[in-house]
Amino acid sequence: KATRADIIETLHNRGYVEGERMAVTNLGFEILNILDSQCPVVISTDLTRQLESRMAKIQEKNESRQEVLTEVTRILKPVLETLKQNENSIGHQLAAVLEEKRFEERTVGPCPVCKSGNLIINYSRKTGKRFIGCTNYFKGVCNTSFSLPQKGIVRPSGRKCPDCGMPTVETRIGRRKWILCFNPQCPSKERRQPK
């Protein structure tokens, strides 16, 4: 019980769950599916229940610690051997899931120009600066791009600008946070210009 808070914090920090009610994220489901296909024993609720029951018996002095450890070793040793044998396959599957998650975290919204690509937060290898660009740029279809602030943390906000309807980003510098429309033609930018 003492480790449950740590486990919950780890699940949140790794992006497997979100919110106060702990809703499983897409990443969490993907990881669960990979583990279920490769080693279902590890994610078995029956095994967890059985181990918790036996640990409670150890605490009550109704079962010896050595017996439980021997039994757990007997159950988990073949699982670990299977994991070791399938290490490359599991690694490739997990890497693909994580890459997809990183792409989702950088996706701001659909491209308003080509309509078939997505706007994502990118970093220029040449200048080291970050910007928003269309995913169809590399296909030679669309070269839509927008500049971004170069300081602080920038991530998709999931909201649209109330003035122009473009997707927005959340910008955070220290404790200050604001929603930023990156569209240079947004009517809100004209209102802020001194006359």
Side-chain angles (χ1 to χ4, degrees):
K1 290 181 182 178
T3 61
R4 284 185 185 157
D6 291 337
I7 291 169
I8 291 169
E9 184 179 358
T10 300
L11 292 173
H12 273 283
N13 290 343
R14 292 185 182 171
Y16 301 150
V17 296
E18 61 188 2
E20 289 181 26
R21 293 182 176 242
M22 285 187 26
V24 180
T25 62
N26 288 339
L27 174 64
F29 277 119
E30 291 292 336
I31 300 289
L32 191 62
N33 287 336
I34 292 168
L35 290 174
D36 188 36
S37 69
Q38 298 290 336
C39 51
V41 173
V42 171
I43 61 170
S44 164
T45 54
D46 290 336
L47 177 62
T48 304
R49 192 177 302 114
Q50 179 186 357
L51 290 174
E52 283 184 355
S53 170
R54 294 186 74 181
M55 284 189 274
K57 288 179 182 176
I58 291 171
Q59 214 169 14
E60 296 163 359
K61 308 241 190 278
N62 292 333
E63 193 162 2
S64 88
R65 182 187 301 181
Q66 190 57 44
E67 286 175 14
V68 174
L69 285 174
T70 302
E71 179 66 13
V72 169
T73 303
R74 185 189 65 74
I75 293 169
L76 292 181
K77 191 172 181 181
V79 171
L80 293 173
E81 288 170 0
T82 301
L83 284 172
K84 185 69 178 163
Q85 289 170 357
N86 299 326
E87 185 175 24
N88 286 337
S89 169
I90 293 168
H92 289 300
Q93 290 176 32
L94 291 173
V97 168
L98 291 173
E99 184 60 35
E100 186 178 318
K101 181 182 186 293
R102 281 190 211 109
F103 181 78
E104 285 174 13
E105 288 175 344
R106 293 176 27 221
T107 302
V108 178
C111 179
V113 177
C114 72
K115 309 275 192 241
S116 63
N118 285 309
L119 296 176
I120 61 170
I121 298 170
N122 274 318
Y123 290 87
S124 168
R125 289 183 183 163
K126 193 174 184 181
T127 65
K129 293 188 175 189
R130 63 182 169 202
F131 65 97
I132 292 177
C134 181
T135 53
N136 281 336
Y137 172 81
F138 299 105
K139 298 174 185 173
V141 175
C142 183
N143 62 357
T144 301
S145 67
F146 300 94
S147 60
L148 283 173
Q150 298 303 307
K151 292 186 179 181
I153 298 169
V154 176
R155 62 179 173 218
S157 70
R159 301 182 200 167
K160 289 190 174 191
C161 175
D163 293 303
C164 70
M166 287 277 286
T168 59
V169 292
E170 179 184 298
T171 306
R172 186 182 293 246
I173 298 177
R175 292 184 180 192
R176 293 188 62 208
K177 169 177 109 169
W178 64 95
I179 303 298
L180 171 71
C181 177
F182 51 83
N183 178 7
Q185 273 76 49
C186 181
S188 67
K189 298 206 177 3
E190 290 175 19
R191 286 195 301 270
R192 283 189 230 135
Q193 296 294 326
K195 294 183 180 181

